[in-house]
């Protein structure tokens, strides 16, 4: 099983920025399509998808709530992704969890990238608090 380790969470004032990182314990071979992304669990709300990126490819996917303020990107090493979060709001406070989908057929799937069951590997999460 792949380990996903998140970092970069913390406390920040409203309007501030944070960059979350997620490192997979293996280098994702381009022969296996991979999709990495972020889910978050906000206080008192169900888990929701935030953003995802096809590893090695140009495609990114965002939840409507993330567009304009959050940017997902990938590292050149093919096993790291980032989530740049700008103009943070108190309602962004919650636990952000990195996810990974590995499949022979496709990386991120446009019709299901936001579905939790599309991902087989999950990190422990990192806490973000905006005050």
């Amino acid at each position: 099983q792949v380990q996903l380790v998140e970092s970069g969470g913390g406390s920040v004032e409203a309007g501030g920025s944070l960059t979350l990182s997620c490192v997979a314990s293996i280098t994702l071979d381009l022969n296996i399509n991979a999709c990495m992304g972020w889910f978050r669990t906000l206080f008192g709300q169900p888990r929701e998808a935030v953003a995802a990126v096809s590893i090695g490819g140009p495609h990114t996917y965002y939840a409507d709530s993330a567009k304009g303020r959050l940017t997902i990107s990938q590292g050149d090493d093919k096993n790291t992704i980032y989530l740049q979060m700008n103009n943070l709001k108190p309602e962004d406070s919650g636990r952000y969890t990195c996810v990974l989908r590995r499949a022979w057929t496709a990386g991120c799937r446009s019709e299901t990238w936001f579905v939790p069951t599309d991902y087989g590997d999950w990190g422990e999460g990192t806490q973000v608090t905006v005050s």
Side-chain angles (χ1 to χ4, degrees):
Q1 187 173 356
V2 179
Q3 286 189 319
L4 303 174
V5 180
E6 304 98 333
S7 61
S11 298
V12 65
E13 292 185 353
S17 299
L18 284 173
T19 300
L20 306 183
S21 301
C22 174
V23 181
S25 59
I26 62 171
T27 298
L28 298 168
D29 192 325
L30 288 179
N31 291 323
I32 300 176
N33 293 290
C35 175
M36 290 183 74
W38 296 91
F39 279 69
R40 68 182 181 183
T41 306
L42 307 181
F43 180 75
Q45 298 184 32
R47 182 173 54 192
E48 63 177 9
V50 177
V53 58
S54 290
I55 298 301
H59 300 293
T60 56
Y61 304 83
Y62 292 94
D64 289 342
S65 59
K67 292 178 182 177
R69 297 189 300 119
L70 277 61
T71 303
I72 192 168
S73 61
Q74 57 186 294
D76 293 334
D77 57 7
K78 303 292 190 293
N79 68 337
T80 304
I81 63 169
Y82 306 94
L83 185 67
Q84 173 69 41
M85 304 189 294
N86 297 323
N87 191 22
L88 284 162
K89 305 175 182 180
E91 51 264 41
D92 292 316
S93 297
R95 193 157 192 87
Y96 287 69
T97 305
C98 180
V99 295
L100 168 65
R101 176 179 185 272
R102 292 178 289 162
W104 290 105
T105 55
C108 299
R109 299 186 292 185
S110 59
E111 66 276 15
T112 57
W113 73 269
F114 49 88
V115 179
T117 54
D118 231 28
Y119 300 91
D121 298 290
W122 291 70
E124 294 293 323
T126 185
Q127 190 69 31
V128 171
T129 303
V130 185
S131 59

